[in-house]
Amino acid sequence: MRKPRKRSFADLVSENKRQILKDQAAMEKIEARLEQKRLNKAE
């Protein structure tokens, strides 16, 4: 058996992005975190 080919970082990132876009709950969590960061910077 041969080892599976190592995937490039870019491949992993794009796959992860696709998964997150499908997962609405994760998207909302990330957006809330980003908004919180923006509010903290504004203060």
Side-chain angles (χ1 to χ4, degrees), residues 1-23:
M1 277 180 68
R2 39 171 255 199
K3 287 197 316 190
R5 156 182 98 78
K6 281 201 189 304
R7 291 198 290 180
S8 75
F9 183 71
D11 289 342
L12 292 174
V13 168
S14 61
E15 183 179 322
N16 198 16
K17 244 186 226 178
R18 276 197 303 274
Q19 291 291 328
I20 289 174
L21 287 172
K22 284 185 207 164
D23 186 350

